[in-house]
Amino acid sequence: AAYLDAIASYGPGEEEPAGYLGTDGSTAPDGSHGDAWIAEQALDWLNGPDVPAEDPLFFYLSFIKPHASHIPPREFQDLYDIDEIPDTPVPPWIEPPEDHVRVRDRQSVFLGARSKRWREAWAALSSQQRRLITLRYWANCSWLDSYFGRVLDALERRGKLDEAFIVFVSDHGELLGERAAQFSKYCLYDSSVRVPMVVSGTAIEPESRGTVREQPVELVDLYATLGEVAGAPADPDRPSRSIFTGRARRGSFAEMHEPVPAWMWRTTSHKLIIYVDPDCDAPQGELYDLVEDPQEWTNVYDDPAYAVPRDLLMRELVGHVASAFGGWPRHRSDLLVEHGETATRPARTERR
């Protein structure tokens, strides 16, 4: 009840401007948050009698935060000094350029109206208020990190880290006012689609511990990776590659369909975005030089100097979509036949 009272004006998903500005946390103490309840339930189970002593354990813990709203407990906000928080970078435009976000806002009454409210609220904020939004987001992260640490401590007490593989990931990022007052996700820019993936534990070879790898990896790769660590046979029926022994990816893929169909192909040096504007006859494109323009402010899709990387990324994007999504029905049918089952196929209609 205390938490619901605190977020009463924050809107759907707690993503209205007031939700991002948040509060000092005193109105919603630690125990009133849903994530606190989830963590405490997890800890109670780990410290209880139902944890198998000998059998392998798969333990999954999922939080909602650091999603909006920004009302982490006060003690975690106090970890940060507002004067040391950077202000949000300002893009070199007054009106946002034509891109898949602009098309998204035109096609969605809900998202378009919310973007307008974000821009109006952002324009009225002082530098300190903008930095306060970032501070509270960081405090949300630290608050959840503390729970993650308590869970690891509990697993260690039960002897479950003696032979373990630990994965820390997120489902999406947060723009926090970047790109002319954009918040949350709802786009294919790095602040939305690039997420942390941290792996740890005794399953990691000693020489690899403490290292950072720059190769492209996707969240679907956890499927093959977890299977490999657990000793399961490889599953060629899935578009997943082990981050340890799988063939290195040439790039990373993401897609968006709410409400504009858009596809992204990202390498370590460039990003291509192809999207469909229902009001145009042909797909539109964005291309960013991530080395020279890491904030993705300058679209060079139509720049002749970038024709070669643009065409290469387009071929790789098409190849990825064709191979990742085209193989499943074929392989699945083959497996059914191998196991003596009848593969049911839809009737085919011939057109002449």
Side-chain angles (χ1 to χ4, degrees):
Y3 185 80
L4 291 177
D5 262 355
I7 67 168
S9 64
Y10 292 174
E14 304 170 42
E15 290 181 339
E16 287 299 314
Y20 277 97
L21 190 57
T23 71
D24 65 5
S26 59
T27 57
D30 190 337
S32 69
H33 290 253
D35 287 317
W37 184 88
I38 290 169
E40 294 299 340
Q41 294 296 309
L43 289 164
D44 286 348
W45 186 82
L46 286 173
N47 293 321
D50 296 327
V51 177
E54 301 297 335
D55 295 339
L57 173 67
F58 181 90
F59 184 80
Y60 176 76
L61 179 63
S62 179
F63 292 122
I64 301 169
K65 303 295 183 180
H67 194 285
S69 57
H70 293 174
I71 52 174
R74 182 59 185 264
E75 60 265 33
F76 291 95
Q77 297 190 45
D78 290 343
L79 295 174
Y80 296 96
D81 182 345
I82 187 72
D83 294 327
E84 297 177 359
I85 303 294
D87 202 347
T88 305
V90 178
W93 61 67
I94 296 184
E95 283 298 317
E98 185 69 9
D99 57 16
H100 69 288
V101 172
R102 291 288 293 274
V103 176
R104 177 205 75 190
D105 284 350
R106 287 200 296 269
Q107 296 299 320
S108 170
V109 173
F110 172 73
L111 291 176
R114 175 174 274 181
S115 287
K116 183 174 183 292
R117 292 193 294 273
W118 280 341
R119 288 193 298 271
E120 291 172 349
W122 189 254
L125 296 180
S126 66
S127 173
Q128 179 157 334
Q129 287 174 311
R130 293 193 298 268
R131 288 183 283 122
L132 183 59
I133 289 174
T134 300
L135 182 152
R136 287 174 173 160
Y137 178 77
W138 290 4
N140 258 335
C141 293
S142 295
W143 173 52
L144 294 185
D145 283 349
S146 73
Y147 274 128
F148 199 73
R150 288 177 60 190
V151 166
L152 288 176
D153 289 344
L155 286 165
E156 186 173 34
R157 286 193 298 271
R158 301 301 294 261
K160 294 301 181 181
L161 298 189
D162 296 340
E163 187 176 357
F165 181 55
I166 304 161
V167 181
F168 181 94
V169 293
S170 177
D171 62 335
H172 64 81
E174 170 58 67
L175 277 89
L176 282 184
E178 294 179 13
R179 302 189 65 83
Q182 287 296 314
F183 287 84
S184 191
K185 44 181 179 179
Y186 310 113
C187 71
L188 295 175
Y189 298 118
D190 266 13
S191 293
S192 170
V193 298
R194 192 177 185 189
V195 300
M197 181 184 287
V198 182
V199 296
S200 182
T202 56
I204 309 295
E205 294 294 334
E207 61 270 17
S208 296
R209 297 173 191 172
T211 62
V212 176
R213 294 186 179 180
E214 298 294 338
Q215 88 264 19
V217 172
E218 298 182 0
L219 288 177
V220 294
D221 293 332
L222 287 175
Y223 178 81
T225 304
L226 291 170
E228 180 181 303
V229 170
D235 185 356
D237 195 30
R238 299 290 182 265
S240 181
R241 304 178 186 181
S242 167
I243 64 174
F244 298 124
T245 61
R247 181 165 54 89
R249 294 188 179 277
R250 295 181 62 89
S252 299
F253 173 79
E255 60 184 327
M256 180 180 90
H257 297 280
E258 185 191 1
V260 176
W263 301 266
M264 179 205 83
W265 187 250
R266 185 194 193 283
T267 66
T268 55
S269 59
H270 294 85
K271 175 185 285 187
L272 174 70
I273 298 172
I274 300 295
Y275 62 96
V276 178
D277 183 347
D279 298 327
C280 296
D281 293 331
Q284 309 297 304
E286 299 175 51
L287 179 66
Y288 299 98
D289 184 334
L290 299 178
V291 177
E292 299 296 328
D293 178 29
Q295 291 174 311
E296 303 168 282
W297 283 347
T298 304
N299 179 9
V300 295
Y301 184 83
D302 294 319
D303 188 336
Y306 285 89
V308 171
R310 180 194 65 207
D311 293 346
L312 175 61
L313 266 64
M314 178 67 82
R315 290 197 297 271
E316 291 180 351
L317 172 61
V318 171
H320 173 82
V321 172
S323 61
F325 299 98
W328 185 83
R330 182 184 70 251
H331 291 312
R332 179 62 180 162
S333 298
D334 292 345
L335 288 172
L336 289 174
V337 172
E338 288 173 9
H339 288 280
E341 301 177 28
T342 301
T344 303
R345 298 176 182 271
R348 183 174 65 182
T349 301
E350 292 189 3
R351 296 183 178 180
R352 299 186 184 277

